[in-house]
Each structure stands twice: as structure tokens, then as C-alpha cells.
Amino acid sequence: MKKLFLSLLIAVVGFSGLVSRAAEAPPAKADPTIDQRVADLEAYVNNVARGADAADAKVKSNVSGAGPGHNAFQMVCAALVLFMTLPGLFLFYGGLVRKKNVLSVVAQCFGLAGMVTIMWWAFGYSFVFGDGSSPWIGSFSKFAFLAGVDSNPNTNYSYWVSQNVFSMYQLMFAIITPALIVGAIAERMKFSAVLAFVALWMVVVYFPLAHAVWGIDGAMNGVWNAKASIKAIDFAGGTVVHMSSGWSALVLCLILGPRLGFGKTNMAPHGMLMCAIGTGMLWVGWYGFNAGSAVAADGVAANAFTTTTIAAAVASFVWPMVEWLVKGKPSILGFCSGAVAGLVVITPACGFVNMTGAVIIGVLAGIVPFLACAYLKPLLKYDDALDTFGVHAVGGTLGALVTGFLATADVNSNLTTNLKDILGKTLWIEQLKAMGITIVLSVVATAVIAYIVKAVIGLRPTEEGETIGLDLTDHGEEGYHG
Amino acid sequence: MKKLFLSLLIAVVGFSGLVSRAAEAPPAKADPTIDQRVADLEAYVNNVARGADAADAKVKSNVSGAGPGHNAFQMVCAALVLFMTLPGLFLFYGGLVRKKNVLSVVAQCFGLAGMVTIMWWAFGYSFVFGDGSSPWIGSFSKFAFLAGVDSNPNTNYSYWVSQNVFSMYQLMFAIITPALIVGAIAERMKFSAVLAFVALWMVVVYFPLAHAVWGIDGAMNGVWNAKASIKAIDFAGGTVVHMSSGWSALVLCLILGPRLGFGKTNMAPHGMLMCAIGTGMLWVGWYGFNAGSAVAADGVAANAFTTTTIAAAVASFVWPMVEWLVKGKPSILGFCSGAVAGLVVITPACGFVNMTGAVIIGVLAGIVPFLACAYLKPLLKYDDALDTFGVHAVGGTLGALVTGFLATADVNSNLTTNLKDILGKTLWIEQLKAMGITIVLSVVATAVIAYIVKAVIGLRPTEEGETIGLDLTDHGEEGYHG
Amino acid sequence: MKKLFLSLLIAVVGFSGLVSRAAEAPPAKADPTIDQRVADLEAYVNNVARGADAADAKVKSNVSGAGPGHNAFQMVCAALVLFMTLPGLFLFYGGLVRKKNVLSVVAQCFGLAGMVTIMWWAFGYSFVFGDGSSPWIGSFSKFAFLAGVDSNPNTNYSYWVSQNVFSMYQLMFAIITPALIVGAIAERMKFSAVLAFVALWMVVVYFPLAHAVWGIDGAMNGVWNAKASIKAIDFAGGTVVHMSSGWSALVLCLILGPRLGFGKTNMAPHGMLMCAIGTGMLWVGWYGFNAGSAVAADGVAANAFTTTTIAAAVASFVWPMVEWLVKGKPSILGFCSGAVAGLVVITPACGFVNMTGAVIIGVLAGIVPFLACAYLKPLLKYDDALDTFGVHAVGGTLGALVTGFLATADVNSNLTTNLKDILGKTLWIEQLKAMGITIVLSVVATAVIAYIVKAVIGLRPTEEGETIGLDLTDHGEEGYHG
Amino acid sequence: MKKIEAIIKPFKLEEVKDALHDVGVEGMTVSEVKGFGRQKGHTEIYRGSEYTVDFLPKIKLELVLADSKVQEAVGAIIKAAKTGKIGDGKIFISPIEEAIRIRTEEKGEQAV
Amino acid sequence: MKKIEAIIKPFKLEEVKDALHDVGVEGMTVSEVKGFGRQKGHTEIYRGSEYTVDFLPKIKLELVLADSKVQEAVGAIIKAAKTGKIGDGKIFISPIEEAIRIRTEEKGEQAV
Amino acid sequence: MKKIEAIIKPFKLEEVKDALHDVGVEGMTVSEVKGFGRQKGHTEIYRGSEYTVDFLPKIKLELVLADSKVQEAVGAIIKAAKTGKIGDGKIFISPIEEAIRIRTEEKGEQAV
Ligand SMILES: Nc1ncnc2c1ncn2[C@@H]1O[C@H](COP(=O)(O)OP(=O)(O)O)[C@@H](O)[C@H]1O
Ligand SMILES: Nc1ncnc2c1ncn2[C@@H]1O[C@H](COP(=O)(O)OP(=O)(O)O)[C@@H](O)[C@H]1O
Ligand SMILES: Nc1ncnc2c1ncn2[C@@H]1O[C@H](COP(=O)(O)OP(=O)(O)O)[C@@H](O)[C@H]1O
């Protein structure tokens, strides 16, 4: 295991120098007129293209780099999304496991952050955002080792945000998505197996899916790609992030089997306070996730910010109220689950729906995932330890679907570019198609990868190791001393 | 209880569709000249009105939406204020209670966040920022269900920040204010009673007060409303937030009575480390609270940022030094209390005073609330569990008053618009009036509401429930396991 | 001790009124032409000087204040750097000590924050950023008591960020630097001694060093000062922050002697989870530290943001992988240490190196400080309790050196202003000189100050006090109850 | 000498300590334990998972004292710890053959 | 009456409790302890510092019961707690002279 | 067989353990307890509220061993745990009727 990673690392560092960076000589262009200069500045405020950004532009721009307001926002958003994983998930997931496994959750999140960054640098960003190769996978050679990804904007994705910032922002998504899977398989999967599984999963599931949905020439990028074969929309990751991780989590936890003593031993969360703190951090960080997905501090971001707040708050209230009604007490885990569920369900919708839509989503998010966790899971007896499936798969699926119904061009005029004809009509069918593909890809790929990893290095620790706890077994440390 | 809230919820969701949204057809306007276009862009940088913002404007603006730098800042500030409650208060207050009540504090903060959001969406924002009805309460019909609150600025409150972002920013204030009350009544008030009390309190105390002080036509909005009957100033919430919550907290904790065993049992904070962590988060989040109250990333925000830093740091140092002198040791709770007190006292002043003012405020904030907590409370024997009165009421009152003396137009030229004549002279008398009204309203309304809630559903848990702890009694969970 | 500080405080507040603030009457200037007005707006987007900023400018600027995008970014960055200390270090360092000393770590960080702020206000900012006195120490009279530091930019340091915000941003650096020293001397230094030591250390080590490296006329400010005698570069504080604190920490911990029972008693971290949470916060806050050091939301900030992410992530992965190889298990402390080491090493380099540079730095940062902590420390047997030397001194030294080799004008054109001739050639020799001066100053000054403090008030608590723990001994409180 | 072990409800500790102090008991050792008995625990529900916690927090007091003082101490404990509700706890008495004070090496009844 | 003290592995607690319940033991007191014995602990490495933790987490069960029931209870504990691996723990039996139920002041075997 | 219970100061645990090891004691059980005695606690002040903490953290050691070894073990404990300052703690000795090793079901002195 160790050797594998180390040689990979060395190989990759070595190769990074070799990729050619052919500089294209730009044709000489005229200086902008005063009118064009003012128009470019207005373009900055309005987050639209400079004159010079047009493919056939004949003038230069005096403000050809990134714009401060947008760039500042995007950097902060990237930091906020990182905050969701480190330390958001440490606390949210760490609080929900038993004391003896708390550090293993930390290690899994932390380890994925490092490993995925290295993959992202070497080829991940290329596979997702490198255009010009295929609707299902990006072009490796375009941005391998992040060559050419500098402080200038890549106008395929943003007029006013530096591409290096954009690439780091998107990296944070690539980190948190597999980290969500950790929730389902907590307390019983070897650290080495988690790393190996995710390394493969990123390549087979995440990179293709993210390219298809968000790549400028992606097959399911309904908003920006006029030639998309499936005209679906996903503002901040209902399919790419939550459905992919959630459905994969279910399959992986089934293949892995339940924790030793599942159903008999008391496996109550060891730190509900920690979990609640993590929830607060997730919520705050999620503003980076959702509003930041506008890739500009514009009106769309403002709308996403607002709908995110409303959906999260409403769901965080509805879930425990339903519990109060049904189980007799509103639990803190109910508040936390509701907030996260609200955030998950609004994710694909936040930049496309209005406030009424957000309230509806909040109410649904407080009820549907609750039913999945409280009734479906005990019924089917799978051991989704921290409810990745119940919250992320169910919530993401719900969100992707309702986005098809509630999206409105009133809050996001980009929806009229390529989707005028189906918006408010058959958009939901496109959503269903994208959801289907996401589920099939996640389920099948996860099963194959899981069995491969199982065969090669094994998935679970020894019984004794699991009984003692993964903290000591895998990391030789304990979460709390004295 | 539960039914009440659920039917409220349903009713409100239902009604949200009914409010009419009459679109007013704007009169046709001319395109801006190049000079006007540049002036509008300069207006963005300087955070002043576009040409088109004037009531009698004859030109359009090419940059009529929100501006990226300001909007980015406001979104981040809103997230920071949320961070103060979730998880700031979870930790700050949660750390100060006994282990068995830690989750109840979380539930109260979390529950209020959800409930207040729903109220805000339905009518709260209207009651506070809907203009055109009365100096003491906003117009319900103006923004009910946030209808019409979109990504364009409402120039009554900001030229360059989206109104939906502004509404969410202000929501965070409406969430944290009642959550501060939780500190006084911690460990002994039923969860249902907290929700019921706050639901009424928001309508009777917070919304009117916030409208009077911050509403464009509010009765006590000295800065912006030329017709204000009381020309008081309150930059970020000395009266609206800290005095209202602090004085209400005192009354409520008196009506509630002391915790079982108060004065006999050891009620030492169960987690001072948690409390200190929460303090750090409060401080960081408070930048959103104070600097964000400029509703722009301009020079006033910069000044507020600076004075906030200085006052908080000075007070955080003075309080424990005084303790060291008087009690023999500088305590961690002293550092935490000092920081929070500094932040409270600078809140109404931060955008109006200069650095010398901030140092003076820091020193006062390290001494006066300390005296209230360390001597007044034991003397009068009220059980203000976590010192909401001692810190927020005393600090807020102190801050509102000294703002009257220290405010200077050097750092905020808006003070010359309507207050030129009284600034540096009789402004403090206006402050006294606003403070008096705030105290009377808070005290009377709290007493009435508390007795109503007591009569209808009761305020306290059973003795056994309180002894076992509210975590198990009200929520069926424990904060820490194993 | 107490009296000392109190009288200092009073004296200083008193003097603050006396400093004269002579207003210089600016010569009358012409209104800008439309072309100049547009150029000024473009300057805002591009973060360059307005026409009016030139020394011999004959026109005014209509946008002479701070610019929203840059100012917003800088305020957020300042808050993020504060977040690193409060609560970042509370958790990171607090988690690594034994339970009985956790609050003492909090008190040390918190106490330094307050004390350094007061010093900064009175004379610290002047000593660092007051120009016109000497290359080795700033001019006291220039900005004493922050007089004249208002919301307008000081174009020596930034064209578009308010000077008051800049001063607060830099304050956060002045707070965290001595707080890092706490890591080496944890669990065994009297609170009063820590305050006294740092008060002197700031004046003798930090202020001169920061002026020399970052002051516009500083002796080692290679980037901006054409007359610098040592043309070194340090983007965000390799020498000023990490080397100064790290080398001082080593000397102080040697003079102090090891903790009672060192090498015999189990001194394992009491809260590795806390430590990991703190690491996440440090990482997130470090974006403010590194990207914010561009003092603008421009392309240099974007580059710093990116290289910071990559170096931290790579090092956080490499360190535990090396551990896995060498010690058999990847530890959580390994992940945390790697991340922090990556952040330390990239600090001086982040705004000067490209992504390949960041990867190289990440790999080195995962290996070299690891060797120092895991092999050098046990070999030499000094008790660097939380590895301030191993991580900050070794990492900072490494970073300062490799910056000399990897810096490239491709990502930061400011490197061509004064350094064109040595960039990529002999820059590393300049770096060596700056490093040498930093080490000598830190080591000698620390030794002298430590012996003075030892002689006057003593450094260590009584044996019994240390055995009981500093929380009870110095602060009369415990970190956890019940 | 005898050892009295008393299992009591946690919130009664202060009262029991004071009561013992009043009858001249000057030393005791206390530990946090979990009790299982007739008193029923509670059920916690975490999303779909139910856990019954039937071990309840209790305090165990241990005091070693001269035979002559046992009666009085037992009386004091009962008086202070009794609420009359199920789960009040138990008192067990067992023989102690020797007691030594580490500091002085005193033995027997002087040591306690 | 006798007191049975059993030191067992933590994860065996539920099984032992159930086994005791099956043989009619209705009350017991449990505490978290650290054990030192033949079973070896682990080493933790924090950067350059190594710490050997030789105290392992164990559970101590205490039950007081009538002499007649001791045999059966011991059998139940052994059966449930045995894994056959080192560190399974010990059972100690000692005399109890008196037992009192605080709530009712019942004494002797009725009290347990 | 006898049971030795020793209440000691927490920071003495390592030394006591080593001393016992030296005289051939191979097993023991340790728990964290709070002690109340002549040694005074401390007062904590939280803003206006004062709380006196008179229970001090102590460590309780329990070891069961053959009668013949008691003397030596007691000596080892006293030697290692004594600081001469108030609060050093106590040693109590009581009879044990039977000991069983769960893993092997060995009984009596072989079991300990
Ligand atoms: N046989 C026993 N041996 C040891 N401890 C016991 C025994 N029976 C009860 N206890 C302890 O006494 C506590 C109270 O017993 P319980 O049966 O709940 O109520 P009550 O004391 O009122 O009869 C239990 O929680 C347990 O700690
Ligand atoms: N002489 C003793 N006195 C008290 N407790 C003991 C004694 N010997 C062992 N123990 C306890 O029993 C536990 C198990 O003992 P150990 O020697 O590790 O394995 P085994 O029980 O299989 O012989 C120890 O961890 C300790 O708690
Ligand atoms: N009678 C007693 N029964 C049980 N434990 C006792 C008794 N007296 C003292 N102890 C324990 O011994 C510890 C030390 O006793 P203390 O009176 O403080 O000092 P010393 O041991 O020096 O006389 C106490 O904290 C308590 O845990």
C-alpha cells in the first residue's frame, strides 16, 4: 500500500515537468476605445464578458485579468468549502462515531484531502475542466499538472475569477465528495482500503461525472453546452456530489457488511455536541459551496446565498418537529440532520429557484430524508453508519428532481440561453435522465472497485482491530487522553 | 405545542402564494452618457448612489444591480454572523453550562434559528424593513414572504448590496438576538416554552425596535430619517440587539426563578475550553456583525472593523487584569468575558467612533460589566446563569450611552446628514431616550409574555427533569458518551 | 507584575492624546479628465496606482479611497488570521498538552492577543510601518497611537486597502507570532513570565525584524526597497514570523528546562481530535495569512491562494506516508503536522512560486520537519513540547531558503522591479543573509530577555504548581468538569 | 475496621458528604459508576437506531472507619441519600483487616 | 452475602450483563477501570516522543448477592466473558457483612 | 488471599506501578477516584459565582495477592507513593475468599 502511493507520488512529481506548455502567440489587437474601456468596467460590475472575451474580438481589454470583488469572493468560498471538510466533517462525522473510532474519521477525511489534491494537480482538473476531448471526460493534456492554470480567468467558467482560484475551488468539491462516503462505512474500513477505493472511484466516477455536468462541453451540462445530449441542470452538485457519494456509499456499505455488534451493541454517537458544532460549520461553509458555484459575486450568487439560508433553516426546523410529533422528542441529531438535509436538497437548486421554491425544498428536506433514515434503514437493515445514503443520496436525488420543477429564469437568466424551450416543461425529464446515469454509474463502478480492492488488499480490519477501534489499530493514537 | 407550530407552518406556507406582487411599470429613461457611466462606476467604488438612484432620475444606469465587492463582503458578513450562533453560541454558552444541559443550549439556539427564519420570511423582514407604514412598525404587505426581495439593491438600505443578501444578513441578527437570552435562563426552561416565548417576543419587542432604529422611516433612526422623533444612533445593535436581549433576559430569569440547587450545588462550567473556543468564534463572527453593518465594503466598514478589533482586544485584556488584581488570578472566563464585553460595548459605536474612542470603550468594557457580574449579581442573587444581563444588558447600555459622547463625523460623514446640530452636543440625550424606550419595552413585554407562556404551557420542566438534565428530559440524548 | 501592566496601560492611554497630528495642506490639484477617471477605475480592477498616487501627480482622483473588492478581501483575511490564533491555536496547541494545562495555553494565546494589540496601537505599528526613520526600525512618531491611520490607503503598502484595515491585518501577524512560541514552552512557564517575555521580545525582535523585511524602507525589503542592503524576499513571513518565533522558542525552552517528568511520565496529547480541528482552522485561516499578504484581491493573491493549498495538501499527505513507511502507522498528528509544516514552508514563497514550486515545497515540508521532530529532538533531548522549533524554525528556515531558488517573476511581476538582476541567480544568497540575521537576532535577544525575566520575576511555577497543572495554578480553573 | 460502600444518586453527593462530615467522618473516596438495578434507564433514538441505556450514573462512596462509627455513618448516609424513589441505592459493609496512612505509616484506626 | 468483583474486557459488558440477568441477578454496579497484567498495552508515537500505555481499559463489575447464588453467577460471568485470549480478566470473591437498601432500609439478602 | 486497596496521588502512579513490579506484582487494577480528606481542595470563581472543589483527583489501585506477598507490596507502595505531604493517601487490606482467572478458570493464588 505504502509503496504504491509513494512511487505514484514520485512518478507524478517527475512527470509534471514534462508536459509541454506551448504558448500560442495571440494575434495583435487594437487598443480599446474609451467606450469599450467603460463597457469592460461595467462588465466587471455586471459579471459579463469583456469586449475582448468574444472569440472574434478585435480589441484588447485594459482589465483582462481577474476582477477583485469576484476573485475575493471565490477565494473566500474556496476556503469555506475546505472548512466543510477540515474541520467540518471531522466534527460532524467524528462526533457521530464511537470514541474509539473518532480519529479514524479524521484520518480518512484528511487523507483524502491530500490524495485528491495530488490527483487533481496531476490530472483531475484536466479530466473535469479540460475541454475539447469528449462530453464524458475532459482532456488530460489540456491542464495536466495544472500547466497554464494561472491567475487569468478561463472564460469558459468565469469572466472575472482567476483560473487558479477556480481550480482550487473545484478541488474542494473533489475533496469533500469522497469524504462524504466515509459516513456510510465509518468504524469498519481499513484506512488503506479507503485510500485505494477513493483513488479509483475518483477516476471512474467523480471526474467523468463532474465533466459531464460542469465541463463546458459536458454531455449533461444543460445550462452552458448547447450540444449537451442531456439538458440537465445542477447548480452546485446534486448529482455530481450528493447522489454520486450517497449511492456509492450505499453499495460500499452493503459490500462491506455491518459493523461488528451492529444491532446489539450500543453505537450511540460519542459526541453529539461535536456533531452539532460540525453542523454549524457545514452550514457556514456551504455558503461557499452554493453561492460560490456562481463563480462570481453576482446576483445569482446572491440568490443562491438566500435560498440556501432559507432551505437549511426551514429543514433544520421541520425535521425535529416531525420527530417531536412522531417520536415524542425533538433531538439534536434531528436539528443537525435537518440542516444538512436542507443544504443537500437545495444544492442543485439554489441558483435556479426563488424563495418560495426554497421554502418548499426546506419542508421536503425536513421530511423525506427523515423517513429514509428513520424507517427505511431499520426496515432494510443495511448499516449506513452515519446515514450518507439517507441524507445525501435521498436528499440529492430529491433535490435533483425538484430542481427540474422549480427552476425559474426569473432568478437566473442563464437558464434562457439553452433551455428556454424546456424550462418549466420537460426539464424534469432531463433531470431524471441525469439522475439515472448518476445512479447507474455510481452503483456499478462502486461495486466493481470495492470488489477489486477487497481482492487486492482487503476492506476490513481484523475483528480484534475493529473491536479495539480503528484509532489504535490504524493510527496508533487515541482521540482523548486522561 | 407541536401542533401549534406545525399548523402555523402550514398556514404560512399556504399564504405565501397569495400576497399580490404588483409590478410597477417604470417610466422610460434615457441611456446614460459616458460621463454618467463613469460616474456610476465611481459610485460603486465609493459606495454612493448611481445617477439613476435619485428619485427624479432621468437616466438609466448600466450597472443597476449589486456591485461585486460590496455584495461579496455582505454575503461573507452574513455567514460570519450565522457563525456566531451556529456554532459560536453552541460552544460559548454550551461550555458554560453543566454537562447534562449542553445539548439543550444547542437545541435552543438551533431551534430559534429555524423558527425565526420562518417568521422572518413570512412577516419579520416586512415588519422591520418594509417602509411606508409607521415609525414604530414596518409595513407587512411590502415584503411579506420576501416577495419582491431579489438580487437588486434596495437603495433605502444599500446602493450596492442585493436586497436578498441584505435580508439574510439582517435575519442573522434576528436569530442571534433571542439566542442571547438563552444565556440567562439556561438549564431550567422547557424547550417548548423557549420557542413560544421567543415567537411572541420577536413580534412584540424585536421587530418594532429594529424598525424604529434601523428602518428607513423608523422613529429612532437618527442617522437616516430626518423626521425621526428620537435622533438616536446605533451602528450595529446596542439597543436593538444587546439591550433588548439583556434586559429581557433579566426579567425572564427573575420570573423563571433560580436553578434547583442554585447557590448550593457546584454549577461550574463543564467545558471552559469549549467556552474559549466559542469566544474566538464570536469575535471572528462579530466582524461580520459590526463591519457588515456598514452594508458595504467601504471606509465606514473599515473603521468599524478596526474599532471592533481594538475594543475587543483591550477589553479582553483589561477584564482578567482587573480580576488578577482583585481576585488574585486572571481567569480564562475573564478573558472570554472581557472579549465579549468589548464586542458588545463597541457594537453601537463601531462605525461612529475613532481609535481613541475604541480604546476608551475597551477599557470601560473590561471594567463595568465585570463589576456587574462579580458584585451586582451575588448581591441581588438573581440567577442570570451565563450572565446575559451582566454582559449584554450592562454592556449594551454602556455602549449606547458612550456612543452618544464619542461619535464623530471624522470617521463617518453620514453623521452630518441629519445630526450635524446635535453631534458632540446633545446626542447623548437622544441616546438616553432610545435606551429608556428599549428598556421599558423589553421589561414590560417580557413580563407579559412570560406570564402568558407560563399560564398556557408552563415555563419549567419537572424537578426530576431538571435534576436529570434537559438533554435527556427534552431531547432524549446526551452530549457525551463513553 | 499586575501593577506593572496596569500602570503601563494607564500611561499609554494618557499619552495617546498628546501626539500631534499636524495636517499637511495638500496643494490644489486639477480635476481628472474622463480618460484619467477611467484609468483610475481600471487601476482599481488591476490593483495598480491611480494617476493621483504618483508623487508629482497634478490631478485628483474621484476614487481616492479604498476599493471595495480589495478592502473586503483584506478585512476577511484579517479575520481569518485572527481565527488562526483564536480559536485555532487554542485547539491546535490546547489539544496537544495534557488536560491539566489546556487552559493555560488558551490564556497565553488570549493574553498575548490583548497585550500585543495595546502595544501595536501605542507604538508597534509605528515601529514596523512608520517610514522615514531607519532601515532597522520604523518611526515612532509617524503613527503612534495609530494617529492618522484611517480608512484611506497608505500607498506605500497598498493602493486600494484602507490603512486602518491594513494595520489590523498586520496586527494579527504580530499576535500570532509570539503565540507560536507558546508551543515550545507549554506546560511549564508562568503566565506572568510569558507576558513579560513577549512584551520585551516584541520590541527587540519582532518590530525591528518586521520593519526590516516589510517596511517600505526596510533593510531587507528586497521587493519594494531599491536601497535595501539585503535584497531578500519573504512573502508572508518565513523569517519574520516562523523563523523568529521558532528559533526563539528553541532558546527559551532550553533556558526554561524540560517539563517535570520529561522522558518518564506519559505526556501524550490529551485531545488529538481537538488538535485536528485546530489544524483545519489553521489551514483555513492561513489563506488570510498568505493570500492576504498580497494586500489586494489580485492575481498575486490568487497565486498565493493556490500554492498555499497545494503545498499544505501535499505536505499533509507526505508526512503521514513517511511515518507509515518508517514507523508503521500514519498518525493523525502526522497529518496535522504535515499540513502545518506545508503551510509554514510555503509562507515565504506563496506569492513568488508557481504550482510546480508548491508541489516541491509540499514534498520537502512533509519530510524535513518530520526528520527534525522525529529524530533530531530525541537525539538532542531538548523539550520543545509541541515542536515549535521542529515545525516553525526548521520549516521557516527551509522555506526562506527554497524561496530563493524557486521564486519566479512569471507569477509576480513585482519581482522584476528591484530584483531583476539576482532573481534566479544569487537571490538565495540574499536569503541566507536575511536568515542569518533573523537567527542571530532571535537567539541572542531571546537569551538576554529570558535571563532578565528569570532574574526579575522567575520563569517557572513551583514544582507543586507544575504538577497540579497550570490551569489551576495560574488561573484557578479547570478545562473540563464532570 | 469496616468499609462502608454506598451507591447513591449523583445529585445527592453534596448532602451525603455534609451529613457524614457532621457525624465526624473526615475522609472518603468517591468514584463515578454506572448502576444496573430495578430503576429503569432511558432509550435514545438516533435517526433510525434505538439504544437502550440501562446503566444509570451513580456515585460510589467508600469509607473505612472504626467499627464503633459504622452505625452512625450508615444512618447519616441513609438520611441524606433517601428520596424514597426507586434507585436510591445500597449500602454494603465489609471487613477491613488493616489500614495504613501512607504519609505517616500510621496503622489501624489512627490511619483512617 | 458475598461480593463478586469481576474485571472483564469492555466489549463483553453487554453479554455478561445479559448472562447475569438470565441467572436472576437483578442489580450490579459497573465502573471503568484500567488494568495492568499479562496482556500487553500499546505504544503511541507523537512525533519524536514515544509513550507506552500499559494500562488497558477494563470494566469492573461489582455485585453483592446471597451466598447461595455465588456459584451460578460466577459461572455465568465466566461463560460470557471468556474469549480464551490473554487479558480476559479475573473474578474475586469477598465477604459482605451487611447490605442495606437505602430507599426502604431493608437489610441483608432482601436488600440486594 | 488479600486485597490491597491503595489511594494515591495521581502523578505517583508510574512510580508505584514500577515499585510493585519490582517486588513481583504482575497484575493490578486502577481507577480514577476523587478523594475527600484532610488535604484541602481549591476554590474556582466564575464571574460572581464561587465553587469550592473539595474532592481531589486520586488514583485507586486494587491488587489481589497471596497473603505472603502482602507485606512486601505494602512496603513498595509506601516507598513509592510517599511525598510526606498531606494527601498522600491510604492503604486498606481486606480478605479475599476466592480468585478466578476467567481465561483458564484457574482458581486461588494461581489466578492472581
Ligand atoms: N446486587 C447488587 N450489587 C451491587 N450493586 C447493586 C446491586 N443491586 C443494586 N445495586 C446498585 O444499586 C443501584 C440502585 O438499585 P435499584 O435496584 O435500581 O434501586 P433500589 O436501590 O431503590 O432498590 C443500582 O443502580 C446499582 O448500582
Ligand atoms: N493481582 C491482581 N489484582 C487485581 N487485578 C488484577 C490482578 N491481576 C490481573 N488483574 C486485572 O485483570 C486484568 C487481566 O489480567 P491479565 O494478566 O492481563 O490477563 P489474564 O486475566 O488473562 O490473566 C488486568 O488488566 C487487571 O485489570
Ligand atoms: N476514612 C477513609 N476512607 C476511605 N478513604 C479515605 C479515608 N480517609 C482518607 N481517604 C482517602 O485518602 C485520601 C488522602 O487523605 P487525606 O486525609 O487528605 O490525607 P492523608 O492521607 O495524608 O491523611 C483522601 O483524598 C481520600 O481519597
Side-chain angles (χ1 to χ4, degrees), chain C residues 21 29 90 92 104 114 133 162 195 215 219 226 240 248 262 291 307 314 328 358 364 377 382 398 430 461-462 475:
Chain C
R21 284 153 219 215
K29 287 180 181 171
F90 292 0
F92 181 71
S104 77
S133 84
S162 295
L195 290 187
V240 183
S248 298
F262 178 64
T307 55
V314 170
L364 287 175
K377 187 175 64 168
Y382 53 91
L398 176 65
E430 302 296 304
T462 61
H475 309 289

Side-chain angles (χ1 to χ4, degrees), chain B residues 22 30 34 41 133 177-178 192 211 219 221 236 271 274 290 354 369 417 428 462 476:
Chain B
I34 187 87
L41 288 163
S133 82
T177 303
S192 56
H211 177 73
N221 188 341
M274 295 293 160
N290 281 3
N354 62 20
T417 314
W428 64 276
T462 60

